[in-house]
Amino acid sequence: MTRVNAYAAPREAAPLEKTVIERRELGPNDILIDIAFAGICHSDIHTVRGDWGPQRYPLAPGHEIAGTVAAVGDAVTRHRVGDRVGVGCLVNSCGECRSCLRGEEQFCVNGAVFTYGSTDRDGTVTQGGYSEQVVVTEGFAVRIPEALPLDKAAPLLCAGITTYSPLRRGNVGPGSRVAVVGMGGLGHMGVQIAHALGAEVTVLSQTLSKKDDGIRLGADHYFATSDPATFKDLRGSFDVILNTVSAAIDLRAYLGLLDVDGALVCVGLPPEQLGLNVGSLIGGNKSISGSNIGGIAQTQEMLDFCAEHGIGAEIEVIPASEINAAYDRVLASDVRYRFVIDASTI
Ligand code: NAP
Ligand code: ZN
């Protein structure tokens, strides 16, 4: 075991504090990564605050990891020392079940191992990227193209793939009318990716305070959901609505914004249940679905797509000592648009 510095929550809802965690010795198929940057995803906050149920503490979050390979196991073929790599929400899966064979390791029938708070194959509990180093199976690290700076690339490992995957699955392209609900970490990536795919993009945000940024990032239109006229004027306007909101939304109001055959895709995962009257679906052949990150191959595809289109996250780099303050700002929707921890300060 190697001991590395990290920031972890000592118990539910407690502020994160500096601590030391253990990383396993390098196995033949493992790589050791020197972490350069780790993004702060709202899921980190939901998790350590117990929004999604009890966790095992201390818990170091972080599943938007970018860094360089520091060492490789004897059997490693995909990565070399010095390579720029990223790790997202997944660090292992069986590799043999129908989901893994389809490239959807997040749905591994035998249990995907998530980057933190998950039981690893050796029985230990995984610890995330708010730390100096991480050891992962080589197949769960993706290559970060040279065109992407590591700090702006880190958030792509979750916010990027979580928005790219459903947009691709929904065949979004030229002619698609896409609305992105919530201009936060996921939302601002969704806007850029939908625009790069050729869609007509509308942002639906609580206020117009981030309108200039939304337009600069590729939105064609921008409306405030606090204005009741938005839901009247935009009725029947969209083919796809990507809901990235971390809190409960009024499903009926948003389903009303879909055109016939339109789809509301939820990636935001609030603790609350959302009520649904099926009449909101039946009147217009509408559908509602969820989407959970994306597989490893698609994560690589997304990084290559972002590099090709010059897309990165808009970030505020912070020292680790400011993690708790950053959490408060994310909860207040005061993030523009992703906090990224400089891992050298851990
Ligand atoms: P974030 O940066 O906090 O963005 C969420 C945005 O939602 C906010 O910026 C805000 O946008 C809007 N919002 C927040 N509270 C709201 C409220 N009470 N009413 C209406 N709008 C509100 O969070 P994130 O990191 O993008 O994550 C968003 C959600 O996706 C979280 O629930 C997270 O756990 C989930 N997530 C899911 C997956 C997946 O695989 N499905 C992956 C990653 C994250 P405006 O200020 O523009 O209104
Ligand atoms: Zn995330």
Side-chain angles (χ1 to χ4, degrees), residues 41-43 46 52 158 162 182-186 205-206 210 244-247 267-269 291-293 330 333 335 338:
C41 177
H42 205 121
S43 300
H46 285 307
W52 294 339
C158 176
T162 300
M183 242 311 259
L186 266 55
S205 179
Q206 293 168 94
K210 297 177 268 191
T244 75
V245 174
S246 49
V267 290
L269 182 49
S291 191
N292 188 9
I293 49 172
V330 172
S333 297
V335 51
R338 203 53 141 186

Side-chain angles (χ1 to χ4, degrees), residues 23-329:
R23 297 300 192 189
R24 66 172 181 260
E25 293 304 325
L26 209 60
N29 298 107
D30 287 339
I31 63 172
L32 172 69
I33 301 170
D34 282 337
I35 299 174
F37 297 99
I40 293 179
C41 177
H42 205 121
S43 300
D44 302 345
I45 305 176
H46 285 307
T47 304
V48 300
R49 302 211 168 183
D51 286 353
W52 294 339
Q55 305 292 326
R56 287 164 287 185
Y57 296 89
L59 191 155
H63 57 207
E64 295 186 336
I65 301 169
T68 51
V69 177
V72 298
D74 293 341
V76 167
T77 57
R78 293 181 187 213
H79 306 288
R80 284 183 301 195
V81 171
D83 282 358
R84 304 161 82 248
V85 291
V87 175
C89 302
L90 288 164
V91 290
N92 220 332
S93 71
C94 79
E96 293 169 354
C97 71
R98 59 181 184 275
S99 291
C100 288
L101 294 176
R102 272 204 305 258
E104 292 183 326
E105 296 87 352
Q106 70 273 37
F107 304 125
C108 176
V109 172
N110 296 305
V113 181
F114 293 93
T115 306
Y116 56 80
S118 208
T119 303
D120 210 341
R121 307 243 163 243
D122 61 7
T124 59
V125 177
T126 55
Q127 297 288 354
Y130 296 6
S131 67
E132 296 173 309
Q133 293 182 314
V134 65
V135 175
V136 293
T137 309
E138 62 162 335
F140 288 81
V142 286
R143 187 180 46 78
I144 297 180
E146 287 297 330
L148 293 173
L150 290 183
D151 52 0
K152 285 172 167 284
L156 302 181
L157 276 305
C158 176
I161 184 61
T162 300
T163 49
Y164 181 83
S165 189
L167 292 171
R168 291 305 306 265
R169 193 176 325 114
N171 291 315
V172 163
S176 308
R177 297 161 300 168
V178 174
V180 176
V181 191
M183 242 311 259
L186 266 55
H188 93 292
M189 290 310 310
V191 169
Q192 296 183 77
I193 292 168
H195 173 70
L197 288 169
E200 179 182 350
V201 183
T202 300
V203 175
L204 302 174
S205 179
Q206 293 168 94
T207 69
L208 297 179
S209 63
K210 297 177 268 191
K211 180 174 179 180
D212 291 349
D213 291 338
I215 301 294
R216 177 171 53 80
L217 293 175
D220 301 283
H221 318 281
Y222 201 106
F223 294 91
T225 54
S226 54
D227 181 354
T230 294
F231 290 93
K232 201 163 142 257
D233 297 347
L234 298 180
R235 226 182 142 69
S237 296
F238 303 110
D239 304 305
V240 174
I241 299 177
L242 183 63
N243 167 30
T244 75
V245 174
S246 49
I249 62 160
D250 177 353
L251 287 180
R252 187 191 174 106
Y254 287 92
L255 288 167
L257 303 183
L258 289 172
D259 200 351
V260 172
D261 289 328
L264 170 64
V265 186
C266 293
V267 290
L269 182 49
E272 302 86 9
Q273 302 228 347
L274 308 188
L276 175 67
N277 179 328
V278 289
S280 315
L281 299 174
I282 291 173
N285 290 359
K286 296 172 186 177
S287 61
I288 179 166
S289 64
S291 191
N292 188 9
I293 49 172
I296 297 297
Q298 195 177 42
T299 302
Q300 185 66 62
E301 178 188 307
M302 174 277 307
L303 286 170
D304 295 342
F305 176 89
C306 287
E308 188 189 325
H309 291 270
I311 295 174
E314 300 260 309
I315 56 169
E316 199 174 317
V317 178
I318 57 162
S321 56
E322 290 176 18
I323 291 172
N324 295 304
Y327 274 26
D328 290 339
R329 283 185 51 197

